[in-house]
């Protein structure tokens, strides 16, 4: 044990020396005339911009935004000790270059893969190369089937009518304060478990404590995201090797998550679903014979992360914005009142152009994934002239992009769904118009564009329309101003306390 510890410390010391030499070389290069157009935080000898970065680690999306606004190209560089140079951009031309034109040169990369490997393994959101291609092909086929869309629609309707509406009705009658962020996350968790696993954890029953799996999963997501913000990867890697602190918590949490997923796979093998109309994602992937148990576990956990955290985060910010913009709420009510249906589904959701615009506008200001990082496989030059060295971390920032006057005009701060609508004909009808995906990369773009985009919109629009038709969502704290908390997704720090008020018939 002592020999292993000495060897580990020796290796860590060598890595430290290598990183110091590399940073000194980078610091020297930063002083040359060729680098005079580089923007970013002040870079000090040896530590680089590490002090500034750590001081703002709790607010990185806004930190990046503030720096990007000072750059004429909307691209910045950040140098830190022990870490390859980071390039952060909010330039749509650069985003298209990364996500489409030079897609092959910007994989997720080894650093991101190692950070998320314990949680996501080689799942589709953490994979590159052939591993990613195989999973993408299988997932793309399944997501394009009509039977899966029908299965998702049925699951959403059932969860809304059977749990969400009764919960809100009870809260309205009892004048109970709810944490809407928690409620929406529970809803999304129940729903994605039905769609992905064919199981029902019943998390939306607030009389029940959070399940062991839910608690473990949330903890694993939080600690995994914190790995990205440490001063050096060596910090979490040493803690993981020694099994101490948050890394021990992460190890224990992931054991719970993995055991739960493996049990579900085992159960599905013993009780296969034969009807395509009743098939969950797990059954579909198993029938494709695309991989073994490890493949299935990693893929399902990846979709669980995407389906639970992103939609609940988007809706939390949406309801807060609508609660503060009476005019928008009235426009949404006007639209949904014209749709004669007791329960909203895919066909009804397609008619909700204004609501679609309002949700997109909300995600412009508060994208569910505020930043996304790639790895430069080879030396490159971005369209704005930024030189990208091999091994650099290249980040595009949807959060910053939604806050740039150059992209959205002088009224970028205003929550205005109308910017997404176009007048159609003489009847005053308005039609939703998509934006350039590289200006608005909330669902990524290019070969890795989100496969679940359509299903996410169905779920969000059905929830929003049903809730706003029957209830008013009122912040429980007067003049409530949420604090943006970024993990792997955008959250409100401390949740969103609300009162539910039943609308009069």
């Amino acid at each position: 044990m002592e020999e292993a510890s000495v060897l580990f410390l020796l290796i860590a010391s060598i890595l430290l020396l290598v990183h110091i030499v590399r940073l000194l070389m980078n610091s020297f290069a930063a002083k040359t005339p060729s680098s005079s157009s580089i923007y970013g935080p002040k870079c000090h000898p040896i530590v680089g911009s590490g002090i500034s970065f750590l001081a703002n680690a709790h607010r990185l999306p806004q930190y990046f935004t503030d720096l990007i606004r000072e750059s004429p190209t909307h691209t910045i560089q950040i140098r830190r000790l022990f870490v390859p140079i980071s390039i952060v951009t909010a330039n749509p031309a650069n985003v298209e270059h990364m996500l489409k034109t030079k897609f092959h040169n910007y994989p997720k990369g080894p650093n991101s893969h190692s950070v998320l490997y314990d949680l996501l393994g080689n799942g589709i959101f953490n994979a590159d190369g052939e591993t990613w291609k195989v999973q993408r092909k299988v997932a793309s086929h399944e997501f394009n089937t009509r039977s899966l869309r029908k299965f998702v629609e049925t699951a959403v309707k059932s969860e809304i009518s059977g749990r969400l509406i009764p919960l809100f009705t009870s809260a309205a009658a009892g004048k109970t304060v709810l944490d809407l962020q928690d409620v929406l996350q529970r809803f999304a968790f129940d729903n994605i478990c039905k769609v992905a696993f064919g199981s029902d954890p019943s998390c939306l029953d607030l009389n029940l404590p959070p399940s062991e799996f839910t608690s473990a999963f949330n903890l694993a997501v939080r600690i995994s995201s914190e790995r990205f913000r440490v001063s050096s990867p060596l910090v979490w890697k040493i803690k993981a090797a020694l099994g101490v602190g948050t890394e021990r918590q992460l190890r224990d949490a992931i054991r719970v998550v993995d055991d739960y997923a493996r049990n579900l796979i085992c159960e599905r093998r013993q009780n296969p679903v034969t009807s395509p109309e009743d098939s969950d994602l797990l059954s579909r992937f198993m029938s494709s014979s695309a991989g073994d148990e490890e493949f299935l576990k990693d893929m399902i956990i990846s979709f669980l992360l995407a389906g639970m955290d992103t939609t609940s985060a988007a809706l939390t910010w949406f309801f807060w914005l609508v609660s503060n913009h009476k005019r928008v709420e009235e426009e949404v009510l006007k639209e949904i009142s014209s749709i004669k249906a007791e329960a909203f589904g895919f066909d009804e959701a397609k008619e909700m152009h204004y609501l679609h615009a309002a949700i997109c506008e909300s995600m412009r200001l508060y994208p569910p994934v505020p930043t996304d990082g790639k790895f430069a496989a080879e030396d490159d030059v971005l369209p704005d002239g930024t030189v990208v060295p091999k091994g650099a971390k290249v980040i595009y920032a949807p959060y910053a992009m939604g806050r740039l006057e150059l992209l959205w005009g002088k009224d970028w701060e205003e929550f205005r769904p109308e910017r997404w609508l176009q007048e159609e004909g003489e009847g005053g009808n308005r039609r939703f118009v998509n934006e350039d995906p590289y200006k608005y990369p909330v669902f990524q773009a290019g070969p890795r564009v989100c496969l679940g985009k359509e299903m996410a919109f169905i779920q969000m629009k059905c929830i929003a329309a049903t809730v706003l038709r029957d209830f008013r969502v009122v912040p429980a704290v007067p003049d409530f101003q949420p604090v943006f908390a970024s993990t792997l997704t955008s959250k409100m720090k401390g949740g969103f306390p609300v009162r539910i008020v039943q609308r009069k018939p």
Side-chain angles (χ1 to χ4, degrees), residues 167-181:
L167 172 62
F168 277 20
T169 301
S170 175
K175 299 182 178 180
T176 308
V177 173
L178 297 177
D179 177 358
L180 188 59
Q181 179 168 258

Side-chain angles (χ1 to χ4, degrees), residues 2 13 35 48 60 70 107 119 179 194 204 237 263 415 424 428 452-453:
E2 288 183 4
S13 300
S35 301
L60 284 182
E70 298 298 317
L119 175 61
D179 177 358
K194 288 179 183 178
L204 199 53
K237 287 181 179 180
N263 288 337
F415 176 55
E424 196 173 59
K453 177 180 176 180

Side-chain angles (χ1 to χ4, degrees), residues 29-39:
K31 296 175 183 177
T32 65
S34 62
S35 301
S36 60
S37 60
I38 292 174
Y39 286 80

Side-chain angles (χ1 to χ4, degrees), residues 290-327:
D292 56 14
E293 182 176 296
E294 200 69 18
F295 169 92
L296 294 170
K297 175 188 73 68
D298 292 346
M299 198 161 193
I300 292 301
I301 290 175
S302 293
F303 281 114
L304 181 62
L305 173 65
M308 181 176 76
D309 270 14
T310 53
T311 53
S312 61
L315 283 171
T316 300
W317 291 102
F318 167 81
F319 279 114
W320 173 68
L321 286 166
V322 168
S323 72
N324 283 282
H325 293 82
K326 188 70 175 175
R327 181 190 61 79

Side-chain angles (χ1 to χ4, degrees), residues 361-435:
E361 179 72 346
S362 173
M363 291 192 292
R364 173 181 72 84
L365 293 167
Y366 299 100
V369 181
T371 61
D372 188 26
K374 305 293 183 182
F375 170 82
E378 299 292 341
D379 292 342
D380 193 21
V381 179
L382 298 179
D384 68 1
T386 301
V387 176
V388 181
K390 179 180 178 179
K393 183 172 185 179
V394 188
I395 301 166
Y396 68 96
Y399 182 93
M401 296 179 80
R403 287 167 159 69
L404 293 182
E405 182 178 322
L406 181 68
L407 299 183
W408 300 98
K410 292 183 181 298
D411 66 345
W412 68 265
E413 287 185 281
E414 185 181 346
F415 176 55
R416 190 171 66 83
E418 286 76 11
R419 74 176 81 239
W420 297 84
L421 298 169
Q422 181 176 297
E423 295 286 339
E424 196 173 59
E426 298 179 1
N429 293 328
R430 292 176 292 186
R431 179 174 60 89
F432 176 82
V433 179
N434 279 306
E435 266 292 357

Side-chain angles (χ1 to χ4, degrees), residues 106-115 126-128 373-377 392 448:
Y106 294 97
K108 299 294 289 185
N111 180 59
S112 179
H113 184 268
S114 66
V115 166
N126 201 38
D128 285 316
K374 305 293 183 182
F375 170 82
R448 289 192 91 131

Side-chain angles (χ1 to χ4, degrees), residues 79-136:
R79 300 173 186 270
R80 292 185 290 149
L81 189 62
F82 314 129
V83 180
I85 184 173
S86 295
I87 297 169
V88 188
T89 187
N91 186 319
N94 291 346
V95 176
E96 182 173 9
H97 182 84
M98 294 164 57
L99 301 186
K100 180 185 175 183
T101 310
K102 284 286 192 75
F103 170 77
H104 64 279
N105 194 51
Y106 294 97
K108 299 294 289 185
N111 180 59
S112 179
H113 184 268
S114 66
V115 166
L116 296 176
Y117 180 78
D118 291 329
L119 175 61
L120 300 180
N122 289 312
I124 190 170
F125 301 123
N126 201 38
D128 285 316
E130 286 303 314
T131 303
W132 171 78
K133 286 181 182 178
V134 169
Q135 295 187 61
R136 179 79 181 190

Side-chain angles (χ1 to χ4, degrees), residues 26 32 49 51 58 94 108 170 193 228 250 285 335 341 384 427:
N26 287 342
T32 65
S49 304
I51 296 173
H58 64 290
N94 291 346
K108 299 294 289 185
S170 175
C193 279
F228 284 109
L250 177 62
F285 292 142
E335 179 176 71
D384 68 1

